[in-house]
Amino acid sequence: MSSFAKAMAVLAPNAIWTAENNKITEWLSKDIEKPTQKAIDAKVKEFDDQIPMDQLRDKRNKKLAETDYWGLSDMTMTDAQKKYRQDLRDITKTATSLDDVKWPEIP
């Protein structure tokens, strides 16, 4: 879903509209207040600014999923494995995008 569509879903849920180039071209929901272009642009920017962190979380979550089996009841996770998984969970505390992340080594 585009940042524009997300913004519209937040600003005017259930509204019916058409748009082109992030601008509303037709507003069909007479009972729902049409958001201003300034409000739409601000919300779009907010969603766009989240994209690098969303990408970082997606990659981090994939790496965590790849090691989920370490926690199965018939396995005992080593301290190194626990630390690796914790380091992955903590990655968003220091990194702001995929470009500036230093991934921990898999034990």
Side-chain angles (χ1 to χ4, degrees), residues 52-53 56-57 60 86-104:
M53 286 304 288
L56 175 63
R57 284 186 189 94
R60 184 264 327 259
Q86 186 61 54
D87 288 347
L88 286 174
R89 286 190 291 276
D90 292 342
I91 211 95
T92 56
K93 293 179 181 176
T94 55
T96 57
S97 73
L98 285 172
D99 297 331
D100 68 351
V101 73
K102 182 177 182 323
W103 296 104

Side-chain angles (χ1 to χ4, degrees), residues 3-103:
S3 293
F4 179 79
K6 288 180 188 177
M8 291 304 297
V10 169
L11 295 171
N14 303 316
I16 300 170
W17 45 268
T18 59
E20 191 173 317
N21 298 323
N22 290 355
K23 307 251 188 275
I24 295 171
T25 55
E26 189 175 13
W27 190 259
L28 302 171
S29 297
K30 304 215 183 304
D31 58 331
I32 299 173
E33 185 177 345
K34 178 182 171 184
T36 65
Q37 188 62 48
K38 184 176 179 178
I40 294 168
D41 292 344
K43 192 55 83 173
V44 167
K45 182 179 180 334
E46 184 181 317
F47 283 117
D48 283 347
D49 290 348
Q50 278 182 252
I51 291 171
M53 286 304 288
D54 290 344
Q55 292 171 336
L56 175 63
R57 284 186 189 94
D58 287 346
K59 186 163 184 175
R60 184 264 327 259
N61 292 346
K62 183 176 183 282
K63 288 178 176 288
L64 280 168
E66 289 170 353
T67 62
D68 279 348
Y69 73 94
W70 291 350
L72 294 174
S73 62
D74 62 341
M75 298 190 72
T76 302
M77 207 180 307
T78 67
D79 287 342
Q81 289 171 327
K82 290 176 189 176
K83 181 179 180 335
Y84 172 75
R85 288 179 55 83
Q86 186 61 54
D87 288 347
L88 286 174
R89 286 190 291 276
D90 292 342
I91 211 95
T92 56
K93 293 179 181 176
T94 55
T96 57
S97 73
L98 285 172
D99 297 331
D100 68 351
V101 73
K102 182 177 182 323
W103 296 104

